[in-house]
């Protein structure tokens, strides 16, 4: 049995534990609960003789830990699963602990099998995962087959199968008559594992009672009553009758009634007297987490607040949005069409065939595009010259050739008679070349 009487620990001006008294009895799993910074780890260190109390005392079986004969064979503890030499294998780590405590080497292989690490016994612990490290720490606590066990967050990092295994292990150890003291922040696990609770806040005792009594003392139970949904007048009739009988009735969102102040048999009698059929009449009680939050709400030192930066992160205006990256931009051969000109022609995709236009909409130069220059499939067609007259006058050889004002007309060859110019839209590709 672990017994603390007036236990106090100060670090300068900081009081970690103040006048703390409790008992951890054998044959039950005792949960040790409290917010961060409430003094749980300091209390466990004082139980194991790692810290000296400023005032008060704590004993195990009537003796301080340091005065227990061969203490590792009477008390097993898991406080920090990472307190292992990373260069040692799992088996060598346990073997060194066994040799220091006079424990037979065969016990090492036994506990490795218990925690499921027999297949990795020769691996260095520095390569272990968090869950494997927890299993190795539990193996070290079980090494001496002690009667008193202390665990600080034993399921940290374990998978669901490992959590279930630890839960069953603790219950089995307590069923054998051992003293099991477990510190944890997982209320759901404590509700399934612990039989008794010791709750502290800011270094002081808040509760020392069974799990059932703790929930009943820190929560208000209620009855859930449901009448036929097709007859809402029955619900109103029952609510009025229960209120007259001294109950406090609140409507639920799903149409049921939450009734407090009357036991379930009395609620059933009232429904029978008012001739109201019931679809549901069930008791409801708060969970351990809800009761714990209600108990410790005034003892929380580290409480989160709303993020104050949220009001500073205003959305950007539409014109200030960052540009959307274009796939292929900046790569060789990437081309972006020019922006449209005011009053220009609308953009049209080429319809196939040869494109008689150079880059950026300029007319194609004779002989094709320049060397190293690719044809532009997105350029607008070049403006076409108006059709020439059907018959062009013959120009004397002595007369200077004067181009028309709008577009140059087709000139006749020197060795052939004049011929009418072909329309621009009938020019063949070979003529253009």
């Amino acid at each position: 049995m672990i017994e603390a009487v007036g236990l106090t620990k100060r670090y300068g001006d900081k009081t970690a534990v103040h006048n703390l008294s409790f008992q951890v009895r054998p044959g039950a799993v005792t949960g040790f609960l409290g917010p961060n910074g409430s003094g749980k780890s300091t209390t466990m260190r004082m139980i194991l003789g790692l810290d000296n109390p400023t005032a008060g005392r704590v004993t195990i079986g009537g003796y301080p830990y340091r005065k227990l004969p061969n203490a590792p064979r009477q008390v097993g503890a898991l406080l920090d699963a990472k307190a292992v030499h990373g260069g040692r294998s799992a088996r060598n780590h346990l073997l060194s602990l066994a040799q220091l405590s006079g424990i037979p080497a065969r016990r090492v292989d036994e506990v490795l099998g218990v925690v499921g690490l027999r297949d990795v016994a020769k691996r260095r612990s520095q390569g272990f995962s968090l869950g494997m490290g927890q299993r190795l720490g539990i193996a070290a606590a079980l090494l001496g087959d002690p009667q008193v066990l202390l665990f600080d967050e034993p399921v940290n990092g374990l998978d669901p199968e490992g959590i279930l295994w630890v839960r069953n292990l603790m219950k089995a150890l307590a069923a054998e008559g051992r003293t099991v003291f477990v510190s944890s922040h997982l209320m759901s696990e404590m509700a399934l594992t612990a039989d008794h609770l010791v709750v502290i806040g800011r270094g002081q005792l808040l509760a020392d009672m069974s799990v059932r009594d703790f929930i009943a003392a820190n929560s208000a139970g209620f009855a859930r009553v449901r009448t036929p949904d097709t007859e809402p007048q029955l619900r109103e009739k029952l609510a009025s009758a229960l209120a007259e009988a001294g109950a406090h009735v609140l409507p639920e969102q799903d149409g049921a009634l939450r009734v407090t102040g009357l036991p379930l048999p009395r609620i059933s009698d009232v429904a029978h007297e008012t001739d109201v059929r019931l679809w549901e009449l069930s008791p409801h009680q708060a969970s351990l987490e809800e009761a714990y939050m209600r108990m410790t709400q005034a003892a929380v030192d580290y409480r989160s607040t709303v993020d104050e930066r949220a009001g500073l992160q205003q959305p950007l205006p539409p014109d200030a949005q960052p540009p959307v990256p274009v796939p292929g931009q900046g790569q060789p051969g990437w081309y972006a069409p020019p922006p449209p000109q005011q009053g220009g022609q609308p953009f049209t995709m080429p319809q196939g065939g040869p494109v008689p236009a150079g880059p950026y909409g300029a007319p194609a130069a004779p002989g094709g595009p320049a060397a190293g220059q690719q044809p532009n499939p997105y350029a607008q067609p070049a403006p076409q010259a108006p059709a020439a007259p059907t018959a062009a006058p013959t120009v004397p050889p002595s007369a200077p050739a004067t181009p028309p004002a709008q577009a140059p007309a087709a000139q006749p060859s020197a060795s052939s008679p004049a011929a009418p110019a072909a329309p621009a839209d009938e020019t063949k590709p070979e003529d253009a070349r």
Side-chain angles (χ1 to χ4, degrees), residues 366-385:
Q373 184 177 8
Q374 299 294 331
N376 180 18
Y378 301 99
Q380 298 180 8
Q384 300 179 357

Side-chain angles (χ1 to χ4, degrees), residues 50 67 71 97 111 115 118 120 155 259-260 273 286 349 354 356 392 400 416:
L50 299 176
K67 294 185 178 181
L97 296 179
V111 295
V115 300
R118 184 170 294 175
V120 294
V155 299
V259 182
T260 57
E273 294 170 0
M349 290 293 294
S416 61

Side-chain angles (χ1 to χ4, degrees), residues 196-223:
H196 197 86
L197 293 178
V198 174
V199 185
I200 64 174
R202 294 178 179 172
Q204 301 183 23
L205 184 67
L206 299 180
D208 185 0
M209 60 185 70
S210 66
V211 176
R212 178 175 298 182
D213 294 340
F214 179 80
I215 295 177
N218 295 282
S219 62
F222 65 93

Side-chain angles (χ1 to χ4, degrees), residues 3-26:
E3 183 178 12
V5 179
L7 201 59
T8 302
K9 181 62 179 180
R10 299 187 183 91
Y11 297 98
D13 297 336
K14 173 70 174 180
T15 301
V17 179
H18 176 68
N19 196 26
L20 184 60
S21 300
F22 61 88
Q23 289 183 345
V24 182
R25 296 176 176 84

Side-chain angles (χ1 to χ4, degrees), residues 86-391:
R88 290 179 180 172
S89 65
R91 190 179 190 282
N92 287 340
H93 169 69
L94 296 177
L95 186 60
S96 63
L97 296 179
Q99 292 174 347
L100 290 174
S101 305
I103 300 172
R106 58 178 173 81
R107 179 62 179 168
V108 173
D109 296 325
E110 292 177 2
V111 295
L112 283 173
V114 170
V115 300
L117 295 180
R118 184 170 294 175
D119 294 339
V120 294
K122 296 183 179 181
R123 284 179 51 183
R124 292 185 178 183
S125 60
Q126 65 182 4
F128 281 9
S129 65
L130 181 58
M132 295 169 65
Q134 288 292 117
R135 289 176 179 268
L136 183 58
I138 295 175
L142 299 175
L143 190 60
D145 196 21
Q147 291 296 314
V148 178
L149 293 127
L150 290 84
F151 298 103
D152 189 5
E153 300 289 348
V155 299
N156 187 25
L158 292 178
D159 56 9
E161 187 276 335
I163 294 175
L164 178 61
W165 166 73
V166 170
R167 185 193 310 160
N168 295 332
L169 174 66
M170 293 181 181
K171 290 182 177 181
L173 293 172
E176 295 174 358
R178 306 175 195 257
T179 301
V180 183
F181 195 41
V182 185
S183 171
S184 179
H185 290 295
L186 297 179
M187 296 296 107
S188 58
E189 280 305 307
M190 285 292 97
L192 297 173
T193 307
D195 305 301
H196 197 86
L197 293 178
V198 174
V199 185
I200 64 174
R202 294 178 179 172
Q204 301 183 23
L205 184 67
L206 299 180
D208 185 0
M209 60 185 70
S210 66
V211 176
R212 178 175 298 182
D213 294 340
F214 179 80
I215 295 177
N218 295 282
S219 62
F222 65 93
R224 178 180 170 84
V225 183
R226 189 180 186 87
T227 58
D229 296 337
T230 56
E231 302 177 76
Q233 68 277 5
L234 296 181
R235 181 181 56 185
E236 303 298 333
K237 181 179 179 181
L238 179 61
S240 301
L242 291 173
E244 293 177 359
H248 183 64
V249 183
L250 291 176
E252 298 277 350
Q253 293 184 353
D254 60 352
L257 298 176
R258 176 181 294 198
V259 182
T260 57
L262 287 180
L264 262 67
R266 180 57 182 155
I267 297 175
S268 178
D269 292 340
V270 172
H272 180 71
E273 294 170 0
T274 54
D275 196 20
V276 174
R277 293 181 296 116
L278 297 181
W279 277 10
E280 180 183 355
L281 177 58
S282 59
H284 279 252
Q285 198 172 34
S287 63
L288 175 60
E289 182 180 33
E290 295 172 345
Y292 169 81
M293 296 298 293
R294 182 175 181 180
M295 163 67 77
T296 61
Q297 61 182 349
V300 176
D301 291 330
Y302 309 102
R303 196 185 302 273
S304 61
T305 59
V306 179
D307 189 0
E308 298 180 356
R309 297 179 301 172
L312 302 178
Q313 299 174 352
Q314 300 293 338
L316 296 174
D319 55 351
Q321 296 289 342
V324 179
V326 179
Q329 184 173 1
Q331 301 298 326
W334 183 84
Y335 168 76
Q341 302 292 333
Q342 291 291 338
Q345 297 294 331
F347 174 77
T348 56
M349 290 293 294
Q351 300 299 325
V355 180
Y360 304 101
Q373 184 177 8
Q374 299 294 331
N376 180 18
Y378 301 99
Q380 298 180 8
Q384 300 179 357
T390 55

